[in-house]
Amino acid sequence: QVELVESGGGLVQAGDSLRLSCTASGRPLSELSMGWFRQAPGKEREFLASITWDTYERKYGGSVAGRFVISRDNDRNTLRLRMIRVLPEDTATYFCAASVHPNDELMEAKNYFAWGRGTQVTVSS
């Protein structure tokens, strides 16, 4: 029932900043905890960041190294991921996802019930 659509990906250079967006429909974003994941060819899906529906508590994956910021705009049903000082290693397909699990369970992909199709981010050196 919940549909998620990512946008904002593209080809950028190392050191650039980029903002990804995820628009939700079918259910108000205010009722959903949300997460960002990425997956590169030949690699497992990697947790990047999450934000809870009620307290806006945030978690970040260890590989982010302080360069990513997750935020939400419930009035626009939009989840965002701000990426700064991007690196070639950030090249991947980025997915947003929705969950009803508590904050301490949002690092696991299995705890999300709806996913977008992804947006490609390619970082050149």
Side-chain angles (χ1 to χ4, degrees), residues 10-76:
L11 176 62
V12 296
Q13 295 183 351
D16 284 353
S17 296
L18 192 67
R19 182 165 62 182
L20 306 182
S21 297
C22 170
T23 300
S25 61
R27 186 172 175 180
L29 188 69
S30 61
E31 300 177 0
L32 304 168
S33 292
M34 302 293 296
W36 284 100
F37 293 77
R38 70 184 180 189
Q39 188 166 25
K43 297 184 178 180
E44 296 182 354
R45 188 164 297 182
E46 177 187 13
F47 169 76
L48 297 175
S50 64
I51 183 168
T52 60
W53 71 272
D54 51 354
T55 63
Y56 285 28
E57 185 173 359
R58 296 169 172 84
K59 286 186 176 292
Y60 293 97
S63 64
V64 170
R67 297 182 297 112
F68 294 179
V69 177
I70 188 172
S71 63
R72 61 192 301 152
D73 184 344
N74 290 342
D75 291 338
R76 295 184 175 181

Side-chain angles (χ1 to χ4, degrees), residues 38-116:
R38 70 184 180 189
Q39 188 166 25
K43 297 184 178 180
E44 296 182 354
R45 188 164 297 182
E46 177 187 13
F47 169 76
L48 297 175
S50 64
I51 183 168
T52 60
W53 71 272
D54 51 354
T55 63
Y56 285 28
E57 185 173 359
R58 296 169 172 84
K59 286 186 176 292
Y60 293 97
S63 64
V64 170
R67 297 182 297 112
F68 294 179
V69 177
I70 188 172
S71 63
R72 61 192 301 152
D73 184 344
N74 290 342
D75 291 338
R76 295 184 175 181
N77 287 315
T78 299
L79 176 76
R80 303 189 191 280
L81 183 70
R82 182 68 176 178
M83 307 163 60
I84 63 173
R85 299 189 301 275
V86 295
L87 301 167
E89 304 92 274
D90 294 323
T91 296
T93 301
Y94 285 68
F95 300 89
C96 66
S99 177
V100 293
H101 281 251
N103 182 57
D104 60 359
E105 299 177 5
L106 295 178
M107 293 180 291
E108 300 181 51
K110 67 178 182 180
N111 292 330
Y112 291 79
F113 69 91
W115 294 79

